[in-house]
């Protein structure tokens, strides 16, 4: 928690913030070892970042006197990430990694090699997803929540939504064995598609290439999804 | 397990391999859903890669008839990674990530902000470390085990070992706030130093810069160690 991320509800009135959830209170005590008088970095969801003085801290509540929260959050990556739904534990970690790296649009997609049971996982509850996004923002000192969309059908996604998403974006399909090496240092708006463990099936690859995506690869090593996504984002941008 | 990694002991005699540990047997049954007659990818620690036919599979043992294991493992990254010892769970995952990405030399270093208790963790047992390296190799279809060295003193490392390590290598110190952006697409031998959660302390940064390392950064976002290491390796090479 390199930033204490305040929900609008946490701000009691102008200049005073109240934190009451056990996770953040424990973190303040055990990791920050915070004491009244300490000045910590705070930000408001969707808003600015600044400092606040810890006024009180007990088992139920921490209160802060906010100074101007007038610094902008760090810049976002110009990418919409389309990720084949990973297995639940990998999903949680991948959401944190990509949020930390600055991704603001995430689509979780069904593909042939995504196990159908993954769609029943409690990790997909809106609250759970929100939790992992918040952890990513707190880590990166960011305030802007990514938007997460679920697409439970591959064909409707490719046929009905993909053409619009590729409007004004460069589509990159990351898949082992594609002809082109992953490009470096892009500045342009990009749609990045990453398959599941085991990859997209050939028919899916064909559909995505036919829709206008370029196939790219990261070399001959087979990476876990969470490693691949971080490596792709770090190399592309 | 994209490759079944055989220890020399697993090869019963010329052309016949025997796998008896519960982890790999379970993986063969539950993930590969392998059956006698299937041809799978195998490799020998430190050696070549090829295919083998599964002859038998039961609760105690799998046997394979090996074909020529004559393919070379994927190329290694030209990097020696010096990583401030992460907390135990992060260590396990970081070892897997960097092994998967092709790092072959890893030094785990004590720095001021490494909690001393981390050095007592069972995750540092040679067997545990070996296990995570093997998982990384199996994922990446690699056979060459990284070499892991423990350095429990920062000063002896910097004063006695670092000058030799920098002989013929470019030293890069990854640390927030350093003046230069992380370079891209290097081909040269590199020594990459990555600090702990909370970073190197100023005195450590000074010592490393004075020893000839260049300071580099990955932008203003603060990344977790496992995310940072993957991002650095993907961008540098």
């Amino acid at each position: 928690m390199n930033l204490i991320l305040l929900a609008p509800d946490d701000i009691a009135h102008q200049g005073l913030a109240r934190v009451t959830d056990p996770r953040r209170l424990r973190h303040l005590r055990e990791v920050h070892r915070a004491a009244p008088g300490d000045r910590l970095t705070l930000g408001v969801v969707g808003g600015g970042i600044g400092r606040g003085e810890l006024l009180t801290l007990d088992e139920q509540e921490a209160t802060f006197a906010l100074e101007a929260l007038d610094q902008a959050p760090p810049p976002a990556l110009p990418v919409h990430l389309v990720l084949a739904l990973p297995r639940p534990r990998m999903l949680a970690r991948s959401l944190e990694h990509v949020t930390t790296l600055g991704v603001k649009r995430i689509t979780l997609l069904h593909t042939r090699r995504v196990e159908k049971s993954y769609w029943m996982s409690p990790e997909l509850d809106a609250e759970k997803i929100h939790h992992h996004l918040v952890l990513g923002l707190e880590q990166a000192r960011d305030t802007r929540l990514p938007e997460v969309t679920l697409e439970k059908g591959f064909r409707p996604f490719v046929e009905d939504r993909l053409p619009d998403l590729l409007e004004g974006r460069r589509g990159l399909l990351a898949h082992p064995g594609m002809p082109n090496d992953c490009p470096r240092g892009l500045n342009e708006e990009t749609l990045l598609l990453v398959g599941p463990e085991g990859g997209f099936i050939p028919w899916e690859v064909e559909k995505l290439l036919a829709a206008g995506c370029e196939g790219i690869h990261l070399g001959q090593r087979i990476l876990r999804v969470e490693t691949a996504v971080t490596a792709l984002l770090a190399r592309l941008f």
Side-chain angles (χ1 to χ4, degrees), chain A:
Chain A
M1 198 161 75
N2 295 307
L3 165 129
I4 296 155
L5 189 63
L6 302 169
D9 280 0
D10 294 333
I11 302 181
H13 56 76
Q14 198 63 23
L16 187 78
R18 230 179 265 283
V19 166
T20 56
D21 62 298
R23 179 183 68 85
R24 287 185 294 173
L25 291 173
R26 197 173 51 238
H27 197 97
L28 283 168
R29 282 196 306 271
E30 293 174 11
V31 181
H32 287 292
R33 292 180 187 126
D38 289 356
R39 291 175 69 241
L40 297 166
T41 302
L42 297 104
V44 183
V45 170
I49 296 171
R51 309 276 277 177
E53 187 187 326
L54 184 62
L55 300 176
T56 64
L57 172 62
D58 61 28
E59 300 285 316
Q60 272 74 46
E61 189 184 75
T63 57
F64 292 92
L66 300 179
E67 300 165 22
L69 302 185
D70 55 2
Q71 294 161 45
L77 294 183
V79 69
H80 182 147
L81 175 66
V82 180
L83 186 61
L85 182 66
R87 61 192 153 83
R89 265 180 51 201
M90 185 82 83
L91 169 66
R93 289 212 300 268
S94 298
L95 287 175
E96 290 182 37
H97 290 310
V98 306
T99 303
T100 303
L101 290 164
V103 174
K104 296 300 174 196
R105 300 189 67 183
I106 302 165
T107 296
L108 299 173
L109 177 65
H110 186 67
T111 74
R112 184 70 169 69
R113 294 208 179 110
V114 170
E115 283 195 28
K116 286 197 180 127
S117 65
Y118 295 172
W119 290 101
M120 318 285 282
S121 163
E123 288 293 335
L124 280 178
D125 293 352
E127 229 173 90
K128 277 288 188 88
I129 287 183
H130 181 82
H131 174 67
H132 293 296
L133 302 179
V134 165
L135 291 180
L137 293 180
E138 288 177 348
Q139 171 66 42
R141 283 201 183 142
D142 194 356
T143 63
R144 280 181 287 170
L145 275 168
E147 209 176 280
V148 177
T149 312
L150 309 186
E151 291 281 357
K152 299 187 186 182
F154 181 82
R155 188 191 285 266
F157 170 76
V158 171
E159 293 180 358
D160 304 339
R161 253 87 75 202
L162 187 57
D164 284 348
L165 291 175
L166 288 175
E167 203 67 53
R169 286 198 187 86
R170 180 171 177 184
L172 296 177
L173 164 62
H175 186 67
M178 288 286 106
N180 297 318
D181 201 0
C182 176
R184 294 171 187 273
L186 300 186
N187 270 318
E188 65 205 294
E189 288 292 331
T190 303
L191 184 84
L192 173 64
L193 296 113
V194 180
E197 307 278 328
F200 290 108
I201 63 169
W203 177 81
E204 291 164 345
V205 171
E206 269 167 47
K207 291 286 279 184
L208 293 170
L209 295 178
C213 297
E214 304 163 47
I216 60 167
H217 70 85
L218 269 178
Q220 54 178 296
R221 292 175 178 275
I222 304 171
L223 305 180
R224 287 168 68 169
V225 167
E226 60 168 332
T227 319
V229 168
T230 300
L232 284 162
L233 294 171
R235 193 174 292 193
L236 284 171
F237 305 105

